[in-house]
Amino acid sequence: MPLICCVSPKGGVGKTMIAANLAAGLAKNRHLEVIAVDLDPQNMLRLHLGGDVADGHGFVKSVGNIESWGGALKEDSNSGVIILPYGQLSSGKSIKKDSVIRQKPELLWKPLVRMAASPGMVVVVDTPPGPSVMLQAILPHVDLLLTVLAADAASAVLYSNIATGKIYSEVRNVRRGYVLNQFDPMTRLGRIICSGLAEKIGDSLFGIVHRDEYVGEALAMQQPVADYAPLSRAAIDLNNLSDRVSRYLESLT
Ligand SMILES: Nc1ncnc2c1ncn2[C@@H]1O[C@H](COP(=O)(O)OP(=O)(O)OP(=O)(O)O)[C@@H](O)[C@H]1O
Ligand SMILES: [Mg+2]
């Protein structure tokens, strides 16, 4: 089963929210075994899925010693997602870990590829914003590169580069999907970006998620949006996204 990686050329667009809710959707609706892996030193992914804010365990301290990663795995009893947090690390130590991965990227990509190779297992990876050592290490091994864009002015400027493959151009033979997040149909720019993107990338537009207050509330309650507010616009959009991704997974079998 594949390695799905949520990326974005700019920060704050909703990667972590999408990664967490996609993982929960695939686990709950599709009964897949899902591991959600956080490669971002912000270490936020776990908080979307009931993780304990005081728990600093993560894989990064023991990168290079995969046997001890098990101690960092946490299952979210609600969604069934198994979470592998980055862990709590000072920025100095985090930079040191980056240099280890820069020199030996296989210390990161090999264990993730091995996890994803188990039958019925899907690995959903959240990444730091923009280019990063962690993303660079796994990029050549990703099966589905899910680029999250916000329906805002910055994405409007960037999206022609993204849609023509200029961003992440170093990865070839990867299925590219796009998610337009924080879409507000009441704004002119939102409508223009949405129709422009749909026209440009067609079937690769895996989902559109509306801007919705329930998203922030769900995070505050540390629950997937579909559990916190199942009838909300964002929950419906996120369900559609996990359906789209699971159709992609089915197409691989
Ligand atoms: N569709 C949405 N509607 C409303 N709020 C949203 C939506 N998507 C994300 N948010 C909010 O936007 C903020 C940023 O989201 P998130 O942390 O997922 O972005 P990110 O791309 O992972 O950021 P970073 O680049 O720092 O990792 C969060 O407060 C989140 O709750
Ligand atoms: Mg994030």
Side-chain angles (χ1 to χ4, degrees):
M1 279 287 202
L3 193 57
I4 301 173
C5 187
C6 294
V7 296
S8 73
K10 82 178 268 299
V13 294
K15 278 180 306 303
T16 304
M17 185 284 283
I18 296 287
N21 284 280
L22 173 61
L26 292 174
K28 248 191 157 164
N29 305 341
R30 299 284 157 172
H31 309 294
L32 292 164
E33 262 199 90
V34 184
I35 299 191
V37 180
D38 193 349
L39 298 187
D40 187 344
Q42 294 181 85
N43 200 28
M44 286 294 289
L45 183 66
R46 74 205 203 286
L47 301 183
H48 290 254
L49 298 168
D52 179 358
V53 72
D55 183 353
H57 285 97
F59 76 91
V60 80
K61 274 184 193 152
S62 46
V63 83
N65 178 16
I66 187 187
E67 282 71 34
S68 51
W69 286 21
L73 290 171
K74 280 268 147 54
E75 182 170 350
D76 172 26
S77 54
N78 177 35
S79 64
V81 174
I82 297 163
I83 306 148
L84 183 61
Y86 179 92
Q88 213 63 54
L89 221 57
S90 68
S91 53
K93 283 190 176 153
S94 178
I95 289 166
K96 277 190 190 146
K97 294 293 177 186
D98 269 4
S99 67
V100 173
I101 299 292
R102 186 180 286 116
Q103 280 170 20
K104 291 189 171 176
E106 67 275 13
L107 294 180
L108 187 62
W109 69 257
K110 275 194 177 163
L112 297 188
V113 166
R114 206 174 306 146
M115 282 177 202
S118 306
M121 175 74 79
V122 182
V123 178
V124 177
V125 180
D126 182 31
T127 58
S132 67
V133 171
M134 293 282 174
L135 174 60
Q136 212 57 38
I138 68 159
L139 256 184
H141 309 281
V142 167
D143 300 292
L144 173 62
L145 191 67
L146 210 51
T147 302
V148 181
L149 304 167
D152 62 10
S155 291
V157 175
L158 282 172
Y159 85 57
S160 58
N161 265 0
I162 294 162
T164 54
K166 275 191 189 146
I167 293 180
Y168 312 120
S169 60
E170 64 272 46
V171 266
R172 307 202 183 276
N173 301 325
V174 65
R175 179 70 170 106
R176 292 169 195 265
Y178 300 86
V179 180
L180 188 65
N181 186 33
Q182 305 194 28
F183 169 57
D184 182 349
M186 299 305 283
T187 62
R188 272 204 310 275
L189 196 56
R191 288 198 302 271
I192 291 167
I193 292 171
C194 191
S195 57
L197 201 60
E199 198 175 297
K200 251 200 173 98
I201 60 177
D203 187 43
S204 294
L205 186 57
F206 270 42
I208 295 171
V209 181
H210 284 70
R211 181 179 298 148
D212 187 336
E213 264 192 274
Y214 283 118
V215 170
E217 289 179 23
L219 171 57
M221 299 308 287
Q222 295 191 252
Q223 288 178 18
V225 182
D227 288 351
Y228 176 73
L231 300 179
S232 64
R233 184 64 248 192
I236 293 164
D237 295 339
L238 289 161
N239 262 334
N240 290 338
L241 174 64
S242 64
D243 284 352
R244 176 69 182 86
V245 171
S246 63
R247 281 203 302 282
Y248 157 74
L249 298 177
E250 280 158 16
S251 76
L252 298 176
T253 54

